[in-house]
Amino acid sequence: TTWLATRQSSLVVDPSNGRVPVKPSAEAQRDYDFAHLEDSYEHHTSWERCITRGVPAGMFPAGYNNAYQILQTPGYVVILSEMIHEVRAIPLDGRPHLPPSVRQWNGDSVGHWEGDTLVVDTANYNGKGMIATSAATARIRGIHESAKLHVVERFKRVDANTISYEVTIDDANVFSAPWKVSLALIKDTNYRIYE
């Protein structure tokens, strides 16, 4: 597991205390949803509804099925997530984001290389998702995103079997400040993703 390999006490590395700066209003909405799970499907996370784990939520560790397959093709990087079998096709051709009128559950991702680091910028969220959906994410599970969410991911290969993954999350409607997660993605040649 990541925290054993890196000896991090928290996947949240900024702020340095390891606590996500969630606004009280966002925590109140999450608490309300969890108290009303039996009233409507709308109070469940998008993962429980089998819609999406989300971006970046899909990259955060969950209780099971934590595998990712990362492929590079001409002009794209593709990330296949085992959980919900989602595929992100991230263009690398310098295109801008889609117009702000086009909003998506997982936002609109565009990428570019900064030296040997893949930088993926995601905007244009529809505000219906959650920043984290797995119970493994503890107090941020079920925190709603807003349409202002902006995510910047950095993927850097640090050795033959390890990719350093860092993500900065900025959503002024939900968090009092931007925050950052860092974890290691470890290659496992024996692991298989099944249908």
Side-chain angles (χ1 to χ4, degrees):
T1 50
T2 301
W3 53 89
L4 292 176
T6 63
R7 300 202 178 278
Q8 288 174 220
S9 60
S10 174
L11 296 180
V12 177
V13 295
D14 185 16
S16 60
N17 66 6
R19 291 190 55 84
V20 178
V22 181
K23 287 185 172 182
S25 58
E27 288 189 294
Q29 177 65 54
R30 180 221 36 228
D31 294 346
Y32 178 86
D33 284 339
F34 286 166
H36 292 87
L37 289 174
E38 290 154 12
D39 295 347
S40 171
Y41 66 91
E42 291 178 326
H43 297 294
H44 289 267
T45 69
S46 53
W47 179 36
E48 292 162 337
R49 294 166 56 195
C50 296
I51 296 170
T52 182
R53 280 194 64 211
V55 172
M59 297 301 293
F60 297 159
Y64 57 95
N65 289 355
N66 286 301
Y68 311 95
Q69 185 175 20
I70 301 173
L71 308 165
Q72 187 173 352
T73 66
Y76 287 87
V77 167
V78 178
I79 302 173
L80 167 66
S81 299
E82 181 176 22
M83 183 66 70
I84 304 188
H85 296 282
E86 287 191 282
V87 175
R88 291 173 65 195
I90 302 162
L92 303 174
D93 59 7
R95 71 180 68 178
H97 283 290
L98 295 170
S101 60
V102 180
R103 300 283 175 168
Q104 302 177 77
W105 279 91
N106 291 333
D108 174 47
S109 295
V110 294
H112 66 275
W113 290 96
E114 291 180 4
D116 58 358
T117 301
L118 172 64
V119 179
V120 180
D121 186 282
T122 306
N124 294 0
Y125 288 86
N126 66 12
K128 296 179 181 179
M130 314 243 166
I131 200 64
T133 52
S134 168
T137 56
R139 77 180 257 276
I140 63 169
R141 175 180 174 251
I143 297 289
H144 287 261
E145 302 166 350
S146 84
K148 283 191 171 185
L149 178 62
H150 181 224
V151 171
V152 177
E153 299 165 289
R154 295 180 172 276
F155 298 80
K156 181 177 182 172
R157 178 167 245 163
V158 294
D159 63 40
N161 295 312
T162 311
I163 294 175
S164 168
Y165 174 76
E166 290 186 354
V167 58
T168 301
I169 298 154
D170 189 2
D171 188 338
N173 289 340
V174 179
F175 307 106
S176 59
W179 53 285
K180 184 191 295 187
V181 166
S182 176
L183 58 97
L185 304 175
I186 310 297
K187 183 177 184 178
D188 183 347
T189 55
N190 294 319
Y191 196 88
R192 297 290 178 262
I193 297 176
Y194 294 101
E195 292 183 18

